[in-house]
Amino acid sequence: MILHDLISFELLRVIWWALLGVLLIGFALTDGFDMGVGALLPFVGRTDVERRVAINTIGPVWEGNQVWFILGGGAIFAAWPPLYAVSFSGFYLAMFAVLAALILRPVGFKYRSKRDSAAWRNGWDWALFVGGAAPALLFGVAVGNVLLGVPFHLTEDLMPMYDGSFYGKFLGLLHPFAIVAGVVSLSMLVMHGAAWLTLKTEGPVQRRARTIGTYAGVIAAAAYALAGLWLAVGIDGFAIAGAVVTDGPSNPLHSEVLREGSWLNAYAVRPWIAVAPAMGFAGIAMAVRGLRAGREVSTLLWSKLAITGIIASVGLTMFPFILPSTVDPSSSLTVWDSSSSHLTLFVMLVMTAIFLPLILAYTAWVYKVLWGKVTEDDVTGHSESVY
């Protein structure tokens, strides 16, 4: 028996769908608080020293946290080539905006303290704000557009063709529902950044972070509830008509897809997936409670639970769809017909089983070494070694 036949093609597809979700959640859990701190920076720090304290809570770890972003992009490219082709070509203007914002972060860290000028440093602080807030917002907008459906179709030879206009490749993505999804993402990560600052700082920075984080959590819960209600009554879902072939060739055109009903019909078919939104709401509620009470470690953990539940709820609600098409529903990409080959998925799984535990172990070691609070004495007493 060939080794890769030990795991069926159907199971490998589900495993890689789940792993893609794990990588995206991992990115939100780690780099999410980096973006949240960036979005909070001008508001939690009123002096140069206070802002340096906030920056130094994420300065040593943000590069490592972005590994999850790279892994997620690589997984999409290798495991789901059609998804990579459609999303990275159709959304390239939006993705360019995200990358431009993300580039501001390392540049801001590098150049902020190069001049002893209040105007200079204030300008870079606002650049770091954009580098945190803009990606957090746009990632949510992207998720909202995936739920709405994307205007693309596949030709007979499976070449993806994006049917949106030049306008639609950026401004056209700002549908009201997508903006609500962006608000969920931004407020959720601001709450997460506040929970991180509560753990890593003290004094005025910590107090302000707790106050802003509390409001952000309330906004996140309200926007998440509004998005769910909107999905229930105002947005059509997608469904596969007829028998589903789960281990066939990766050709979306072999399936008939209808646009009907609601995405939330999935909860009637698979009631157990309601655990995901329950985790989202419970995590937000407990994180807000922790912020108000001044708790530290537990607040960050509850915030992580909220993020896990909210992101997981999207994937579980849409399953088996990955990227639905509004132009030609039968071109929609699903778990069953848009993956790489059986052998490719198996080899990738073996490599993941080897290297992912190493990444997790190294990440855990880094956070253990860097455990503790960043104080004003730390940043004023070691000016050459900190941001």
Side-chain angles (χ1 to χ4, degrees):
M1 178 184 293
I2 299 176
L3 186 59
H4 74 271
D5 288 337
L6 294 174
I7 305 179
S8 69
F9 198 11
E10 175 186 3
L11 180 57
L12 278 172
R13 282 169 161 166
V14 174
I15 289 173
W16 271 103
W17 168 80
L19 281 175
L20 178 58
V22 168
L23 293 175
L24 294 177
I25 291 172
F27 171 62
L29 294 182
T30 55
D31 206 39
F33 64 71
D34 295 336
M35 290 185 281
V37 171
L40 285 166
L41 182 61
F43 311 106
V44 297
R46 295 180 181 174
T47 67
D48 180 64
V49 172
E50 289 176 352
R51 292 184 179 184
R52 288 178 64 193
V53 167
I55 291 171
N56 276 275
T57 66
I58 60 174
V61 297
W62 72 269
E63 289 180 289
N65 291 340
Q66 287 203 148
V67 167
W68 295 97
F69 185 53
I70 298 169
L71 290 175
I76 293 174
F77 173 77
W80 311 100
L83 174 62
Y84 183 91
V86 174
S87 59
F88 279 69
S89 60
F91 296 160
Y92 69 88
L93 288 178
M95 291 188 176
F96 178 82
V98 169
L99 291 176
L102 289 175
I103 289 170
L104 286 175
R105 184 163 53 185
V107 177
F109 287 154
K110 181 70 175 178
Y111 286 99
R112 182 188 184 278
S113 297
K114 292 299 184 183
R115 293 178 59 187
D116 189 14
S117 164
W120 171 269
R121 293 185 176 188
N122 186 62
W124 283 114
D125 288 339
W126 283 103
L128 290 171
F129 164 79
V130 173
L137 176 68
L138 291 175
F139 285 137
V141 170
V143 172
N145 276 279
V146 170
L147 286 164
L148 290 167
V150 179
F152 75 95
H153 72 277
L154 300 177
T155 63
E156 292 182 358
D157 56 358
L158 300 183
M159 178 180 294
M161 304 294 292
Y162 186 82
D163 295 293
S165 63
F166 180 83
Y167 162 83
K169 290 183 177 180
F170 188 77
L171 295 180
L173 302 179
L174 301 180
H175 184 281
F177 173 79
I179 294 176
V180 171
V183 171
V184 174
S185 176
L186 176 59
S187 55
M188 173 181 74
L189 295 184
V190 167
M191 180 188 71
H192 197 43
W196 175 255
L197 288 175
T198 297
L199 175 67
K200 295 291 290 182
T201 66
E202 57 188 22
V205 173
Q206 185 191 63
R207 289 195 297 271
R208 295 181 195 122
R210 286 169 50 195
T211 299
I212 299 173
T214 299
Y215 288 114
V218 172
I219 293 171
Y224 186 45
L226 175 60
L229 180 62
W230 203 328
L231 281 177
V233 301
I235 296 174
D236 292 334
F238 291 76
I240 300 176
V244 178
V245 179
T246 59
D247 58 355
S250 291
N251 185 347
L253 299 180
H254 286 176
S255 301
E256 181 183 358
V257 175
L258 303 177
R259 187 166 194 185
E260 61 182 11
S262 166
W263 281 121
L264 301 191
N265 290 342
Y267 291 86
V269 178
R270 304 185 299 275
W272 63 269
I273 68 175
V275 68
M279 287 169 54
F281 283 115
I284 291 174
M286 294 303 295
V288 168
R289 182 180 179 185
L291 286 167
R292 294 184 63 184
R295 299 187 183 97
E296 298 181 357
V297 176
S298 62
T299 299
L300 184 64
L301 294 177
W302 283 118
S303 179
K304 290 179 182 293
L305 180 71
I307 291 172
T308 300
I310 289 172
I311 296 177
S313 68
V314 176
L316 291 171
T317 299
M318 292 184 61
F319 184 87
F321 289 90
I322 301 177
L323 192 68
S325 169
T326 57
V327 174
D328 177 20
S330 291
S331 293
S332 299
L333 307 181
T334 74
V335 171
W336 312 126
D337 55 27
S338 56
S339 72
S340 292
S341 68
H342 190 172
L343 178 59
T344 298
L345 295 182
F346 178 78
V347 172
M348 289 173 58
L349 182 61
V350 172
M351 294 298 101
T352 300
I354 294 172
F355 290 106
L356 187 58
L358 295 177
I359 294 172
L360 291 172
Y362 175 75
T363 301
W365 176 78
V366 167
Y367 281 97
K368 181 178 183 297
V369 170
L370 296 173
W371 186 260
K373 292 184 179 292
V374 178
T375 66
E376 292 188 5
D377 288 340
D378 292 329
V379 300
T380 56
H382 304 84
S383 59
E384 294 183 359
S385 60
V386 294
Y387 295 95

